[in-house]
Structures are given as structure tokens and as C-alpha cells.
Amino acid sequence: MGSALENFVNQVRTMSASGSFRELADDLPESVSLLARNWSILDNVLETLDVQQHTLGVLYVLLAKLHSAATANPEPVQIIQLMRDFVQRNNVEQLRFAICAFYETCHLFTDYLVQKNLSILGIKIMARAVDQIRQMDTQLTPIHADLCLLSLKAKNFNLVLAYLDTDITDISTAAAECKTQQQQQSQHTVDANNDAKYFLLFYYYGGMIYTAVKNYDRALYFFEVCITTPAMAMSHIMLEAYKKFLMVSLIVEGNIAFIPKNTQVIGRFMKPMASHYHDLVSVYANSSSEELRILILKYSEAFTRDSNMGLAKQVATSLYKRNIKRLTKTFLTLSLSDVASRVQLSGAAEAERYILNMIKSGEIYASINQKDGMVLFKDDPEKYNSPDMFLNVQTNITQVLDLVKQINKMEEEIILNPMYVKKALGSQDDDLTSQHPKTYSGDPTD
């Protein structure tokens, strides 16, 4: 081991033993380039350090390994095992002194697994990293997006859905707090503080995951958060989320879902760059499945390029279902061939398949007489008097009350925030100084 690396090891061991973790975290970024140049003997460095006692030192060795992975071409099994061992055994209290370096290590690890087509092997590791670094279950961190990306690439959503189903009430600002420090230190930490990017990616990837599992209501919410995030300029992430937002809106509501008027970025940038999707919305409004099919065929290349062809087909399916629902409001009975004709399906067999699927999912209430091929549409049998329905209502009421408590708590925190108070008082002073007394020569009521 070279003298420079020996000095690194001695520094880590000495300062860790004395509890000087803040000072060590400030000094270690300067060692990343040294560690990267000595890739071949970094395993020897790791053998001299204990993950629990020397968490900061091991973290920067891992960071250097991942930075050099493209050129050194290490064995994936070794990198995965090192990362797994680190997240299982590290000292979280030490880790919080170098949280930006930890985030960057996770980002690089995720990119490495995606490039190697080994995403499924990193899902549990990244889930453990998220659990370790967040301060409460409802806090969002930059590495939530990494967990979502690995799950998407692996097409494995069982673990990540628990994180997505948890409503976010707090966003980690630890990375933002060390921004100035990062800018003054190693060039390797350029991307570690890009909080806005990873915030948008979490909601974009989350929307894609919910779309994949056909939870379209939740997907629509995630895409909405992504595109309505306050911004001075449009990002590519927001544009792609907007395209999917339009398509999922059609599936859920049959038109474009409500968008707050203060999202100027949408009208100025997104609409002109998503013209194909707005054409889709216009044709969908005509309720003509044939016109919609022709339009999807016309723009198939664009939809395929955006990886939205599958979603476009789901939009077409939703229009068939929506048209069948309209029939239930007009007719009591119809033959399968009549249903197929009215909603522009290929024939009675396809109409029967759609109706059976909708009955099974609870979208409509009907029965099919196989003997004469007739469909009998029925009213909703729910009488809202069963124990299960009572429990469901009670659960919903409890959730609403919890949300009210959370909103009141957040409002109180904002009102008591010194920065908010200062700004609010400043605005009042400005209003008072801007008012000029008026002189009245006549009736003061004029």
C-alpha cells in the first residue's frame, strides 16, 4: 500500500477514534481522486477499515470504486456485495456527516446496476438505504428515485409500492444544506445535490410504476405533482410526465384532469411540444373508437419513440369501456352484436370479452344470457348497509381526520417559521408605505 493511501487509512482511523467525524467528513472529499487512481489496491484499504467504526472512510472508498467502475470493469458481484455489506453494517450517525457523498454513492450504484442489467439485485439494498437515511417514513430523500428506477428496470414492484403508497409530508433538505460545501470540494460531487431532479424523478417513476400495475388514479396524482412543481423553466422529466399525464387523464376521467392555473410552464412550453397527445385528447372527446384507432396508428412512431405505445393502447381500451358504460345508462338489454356495433368492436365475441372483464372488475353490473346472446344491464347492488361497507367508511373518515391534523400541523409550522414571519411583516410594511392619504374636498362618502 502506497504512503498516500497509508496516510488516508491513518487519518480515518485516528479521527474516527477521537470522534472528529465532522472534520473527517470535511477532509475526505479531497481523497476521492487519490483513491480512484489506486483502484487496484482499494480492497487492501477496505481490509484495514471496519464498516461500523470507520463508516466515513469506507464510504469514500466505495465512492471511488464506483467512479472508476467504467474503466476498471470490476466484477459486479463484488460491487454488489460491498454495497450490501455497507448498508447493513454502517454507522448511521457517522453517515449523516457525509450525506451528500452517500446519496452520490447510491446514484452511481444504481446507474452501474442499470448498465449491467442487474437492477433486481439492487432493489433490497436501495430499500435498506432509504430506510436508513430517512428520518421518518413520510420523508422523501433523493435516493427514493433510485429505488423506483431499479424497480422499473427489473419490472419488480412488490417492494417499492409500500414506499409509493406512503404520502410524503416532508422532504429531506440535508443535501441542500451542504450545497456550498460540496461546491468548494471534490469535482466528483457535482450531481449529489441535484435535489430537484430526483424529486421530479421520484414522482415520474412512481407514476410509471402505478401505470404498470394499473392503479391509474394514483398514477395521475404522481404525474400531476411532477408537472405542477414550481419551475422557471421546463425540464425533460416534466415534459415526459406531461405526455403520460394526458393519457392517464383520459383513462381515469375521459378528459384532461384539472391543472392549477399558476403552472405557466405547461401552457408556454409543454403544450406545443406535446401536440400529438393533445390531438389524442381531442379525438377521444368525440367518443369514436375508430377515429381514435386511426390516430394512434398515425402517430404510432411518435408514441413508440416516447415509450408510450402501450399506454396509447390502454387509452383505446378505456374508450371502448367508457362507451359500454354509456349504454348501461340508456338500455336495459342489448344483444352482444348490438353492443359491438355501437361501440365499434370487431364482433360479438370481443364485446362479450369486454363486458365480462368489466363485470369482474366492478365497472358495470350486468349478466349475459349465453343462449340468446343478450346482455342484461343491472343497477348497483350495493345498499351501503353491510359491516364491510361500514368499516370502509370508518377507515376513510379516519384517514381524512389524520390528513386534517397533518395539514394543521404544517400550517402551524409555517406560521411560526421566522423566515415566513419576517416576509409577512415586510409585506405589510410595504403595503402601508405604498398607501397615500387622500384629501376630500366634498362629501367623504363620494
Side-chain angles (χ1 to χ4, degrees):
M1 190 184 301
S3 58
L5 287 181
E6 289 178 355
N7 291 337
F8 168 81
V9 171
N10 291 333
Q11 180 188 23
V12 170
R13 294 170 68 91
T14 301
M15 298 185 76
S16 296
S18 64
S20 304
F21 300 119
R22 168 54 63 196
E23 294 78 4
L24 181 60
D26 291 341
D27 294 341
L28 283 179
E30 300 176 0
S31 304
V32 175
S33 56
L34 166 69
L35 295 169
R37 288 196 303 270
N38 292 274
W39 160 266
S40 59
I41 55 176
L42 288 183
D43 289 338
N44 296 337
V45 175
L46 289 174
E47 289 177 0
T48 65
L49 300 175
D50 178 78
V51 176
Q52 177 65 214
Q53 296 180 26
H54 312 118
T55 293
L56 293 176
V58 175
L59 172 63
Y60 275 90
V61 173
L62 266 177
L63 183 59
K65 272 181 168 287
L66 288 165
H67 270 299
S68 305
T71 54
N73 196 26
E75 285 293 326
V77 175
Q78 182 197 36
I79 294 293
I80 293 170
Q81 184 56 46
L82 284 172
M83 191 68 180
R84 180 184 293 114
D85 186 58
F86 181 77
V87 299
Q88 289 177 348
R89 297 178 52 211
N90 67 53
N91 185 310
V92 180
E93 298 305 316
Q94 288 189 40
L95 196 61
R96 296 195 185 281
F97 286 102
I99 197 166
C100 289
F102 178 64
Y103 287 158
E104 187 185 8
T105 301
C106 291
H107 298 329
L108 291 173
F109 178 67
T110 298
D111 292 341
Y112 177 78
L113 292 182
V114 170
Q115 291 170 7
K116 297 293 183 180
N117 293 319
L118 296 171
S119 299
I120 195 169
L121 298 179
I123 295 175
K124 289 185 177 180
I125 296 174
M126 200 54 58
R128 169 65 177 166
V130 169
D131 291 341
Q132 199 170 55
I133 208 64
R134 64 181 177 178
Q135 296 181 334
M136 52 184 169
D137 291 345
T138 58
Q139 184 181 60
L140 179 65
T141 71
I143 57 176
H144 274 76
D146 294 312
L147 174 60
C148 292
L149 177 58
L150 292 173
S151 301
L152 267 176
K153 292 295 183 180
K155 294 181 174 61
N156 188 319
F157 310 126
N158 294 331
L159 187 60
V160 73
L161 284 174
Y163 296 84
L164 294 173
D165 289 342
T166 302
D167 289 323
I168 299 300
T169 61
D170 184 78
I171 301 173
S172 172
T173 58
E177 292 169 0
C178 63
K179 180 176 182 179
T180 303
Q181 176 186 351
Q182 289 288 343
Q183 291 174 339
Q184 296 173 348
Q185 293 175 345
S186 172
Q187 61 181 353
H188 295 298
T189 55
V190 172
D191 193 47
N193 185 58
N194 204 339
D195 287 349
K197 170 185 172 182
Y198 294 108
F199 174 88
L200 293 175
L201 283 176
F202 169 72
Y203 283 98
Y204 177 60
Y205 292 150
M208 293 177 67
I209 290 171
Y210 277 123
T211 301
V213 299
K214 301 190 185 309
N215 187 344
Y216 295 116
D217 289 300
R218 190 72 173 167
L220 185 63
Y221 166 72
F222 268 61
F223 289 136
E224 179 188 342
V225 172
C226 187
I227 66 175
T228 57
T229 298
M232 297 299 293
M234 180 193 69
S235 75
H236 186 67
I237 301 169
M238 295 175 74
L239 176 60
E240 294 305 308
Y242 181 65
K243 294 174 180 178
K244 289 179 170 61
F245 171 82
L246 292 176
M247 302 180 88
V248 176
S249 290
L250 295 178
I251 295 174
V252 175
E253 301 186 5
N255 50 43
I256 300 178
F258 172 77
I259 301 174
K261 293 181 179 180
N262 61 347
T263 52
Q264 299 177 358
V265 172
I266 294 177
R268 187 179 301 175
F269 300 108
M270 294 188 194
K271 284 186 178 179
M273 300 184 72
S275 58
H276 297 342
Y277 295 85
H278 279 279
D279 289 345
L280 189 72
V281 172
S282 299
V283 172
Y284 193 98
N286 297 333
S287 301
S288 173
S289 299
E290 183 61 22
E291 289 182 20
L292 186 66
R293 185 189 66 81
I294 293 172
L295 184 79
I296 292 175
L297 188 61
K298 177 182 176 182
Y299 293 142
S300 61
E301 184 177 343
F303 292 147
T304 302
R305 184 174 60 249
D306 294 339
S307 299
N308 285 334
M309 193 61 192
L311 196 51
K313 293 178 180 178
Q314 292 297 321
V315 170
T317 298
S318 75
L319 184 56
Y320 287 125
K321 291 183 176 181
R322 199 171 295 278
N323 287 336
I324 291 174
K325 283 183 180 180
R326 287 195 184 98
L327 296 179
T328 67
K329 298 177 181 179
T330 308
F331 300 94
L332 289 176
T333 60
L334 270 179
S335 67
L336 288 171
S337 57
D338 279 342
V339 173
S341 175
R342 290 174 183 275
V343 302
Q344 299 175 327
L345 290 168
S346 61
E350 189 176 14
E352 182 179 6
R353 179 169 60 83
Y354 267 91
I355 291 171
L356 288 174
N357 287 335
M358 293 176 72
I359 293 171
K360 184 177 179 180
S361 62
E363 295 175 81
I364 62 172
Y365 303 94
S367 60
I368 300 175
N369 188 326
Q370 297 290 346
K371 184 177 179 179
D372 54 14
M374 296 296 292
V375 183
L376 173 63
F377 297 118
K378 303 176 181 179
D379 294 328
D380 185 351
E382 179 60 62
K383 302 301 180 183
Y384 299 95
N385 57 1
S386 65
D388 290 340
M389 180 55 66
F390 175 77
L391 182 61
N392 186 35
V393 172
Q394 192 175 35
T395 301
N396 290 336
I397 292 174
T398 302
Q399 290 175 347
V400 171
L401 292 175
D402 289 341
L403 285 173
V404 170
K405 289 180 182 178
Q406 184 64 43
I407 291 171
N408 291 337
K409 180 182 176 183
M410 294 172 70
E411 183 180 19
E412 183 179 352
E413 290 174 354
I414 292 172
I415 292 174
L416 297 177
N417 187 298
M419 292 182 64
Y420 171 81
V421 173
K422 183 178 179 181
K423 188 172 182 179
L425 291 176
S427 299
Q428 291 179 8
D429 292 340
D430 292 341
D431 292 340
L432 290 173
T433 56
S434 66
Q435 293 177 0
H436 299 287
K438 296 181 180 179
T439 59
Y440 296 97
S441 58
D443 188 346
T445 61
D446 289 343

